[in-house]
Amino acid sequence: MEMNEFIEFCKQGNPIAGEDTELHTLLTRCSYDAQRITMTLNNTYHSREQIVDLFSELTGTTVDPSFMCFPPFYTDFGKHITIGKHVFLNTGCSFQDRGGITIGDGTMIGMNVTIATLNHGLPLATRNTTFAAPVVIGEQVWIGSGATILPGVTIGDHSVVAAGAVVTKDVPPDSVVAGVPAKFMRSIDEEEL
């Protein structure tokens, strides 16, 4: 399998068994490429324009010049992140993106936020297999520092995830969630939008 085919295979959400040496070889190449780019990003000063260029290289897509990130930033794959316009990532974010992470326009993500898109099988027979489920973050979402977003979660437009929350299920639009696991706290009124 060629690398472009492998990336497409991953974007389709296919599981990868630990015993599949061909897929693991390709996955390792992707991970090393992501490490090379993020080490460049994280270990020296870059202008905003240079950071946009590095994220474009990392994701394999053109990232809008309105994007802003305060490094360090970490990812283990890099090729399945979609970033909207006017997105802000604060320091220390860690994305496990093989399952797909989509971030809508105007979203702000706080310090040390983790977004995971993979899980292992629970039975011993599949515990060495990773299963992908995308995370979709709507427009103008605010995710507080130290929050964790788990695989398969969709966060609706204008919602707020409180600092330290662990989001295990979908968040409706215009909602505030908090806690471990995150629970609905209240709606955001129209005058707050």
Side-chain angles (χ1 to χ4, degrees):
M1 182 181 292
E2 296 293 322
M3 183 56 74
N4 287 340
E5 293 174 293
F6 174 70
I7 291 169
E8 189 56 39
F9 174 86
C10 291
K11 286 183 176 183
Q12 293 170 2
N14 292 299
I16 296 180
E19 300 76 27
D20 192 323
T21 56
E22 178 188 12
L23 294 181
H24 268 274
T25 298
L26 292 164
L27 184 58
T28 300
R29 283 179 49 203
C30 278
S31 292
Y32 285 163
D33 190 50
Q35 288 176 38
R36 176 186 58 78
I37 297 166
T38 56
M39 289 185 89
T40 299
L41 173 70
N42 296 337
N43 290 311
T44 187
Y45 171 79
H46 298 285
S47 69
R48 183 176 183 172
E49 294 78 16
Q50 291 169 323
I51 290 171
V52 168
D53 290 344
L54 285 166
F55 264 83
S56 295
E57 180 184 358
L58 177 67
T59 62
T61 61
T62 301
V63 174
D64 191 82
S66 63
F67 172 70
M68 183 181 285
C69 173
F70 292 165
F73 172 82
Y74 306 97
T75 187
D76 65 343
F77 189 70
K79 301 300 184 203
H80 205 174
I81 303 171
T82 302
I83 300 170
K85 295 178 181 178
H86 304 285
V87 167
F88 172 70
L89 305 181
N90 212 331
T91 61
C93 288
S94 184
F95 290 6
Q96 181 193 54
D97 67 286
R98 196 183 91 217
I101 297 172
T102 302
I103 304 170
D105 294 348
T107 287
M108 301 181 299
I109 299 181
M111 295 173 61
N112 301 315
V113 168
T114 298
I115 301 176
T117 65
L118 299 177
N119 210 340
H120 291 269
L122 186 58
L124 287 176
T126 60
R127 194 152 306 160
N128 200 21
T129 299
T130 51
F131 297 90
V135 169
V136 177
I137 301 169
E139 295 185 359
Q140 302 197 8
V141 170
W142 173 20
I143 300 177
S145 296
T148 300
I149 315 300
L150 294 182
V153 166
T154 295
I155 299 174
D157 293 347
H158 314 122
S159 289
V160 175
V161 175
V166 177
V167 184
T168 61
K169 58 185 180 181
D170 290 353
V171 175
D174 308 317
S175 299
V176 177
V177 298
V180 180
K183 296 190 183 327
F184 176 83
M185 296 286 118
R186 71 178 187 91
S187 294
I188 297 173
D189 298 326
E190 279 191 39
E191 57 268 4
E192 295 176 297
L193 294 177

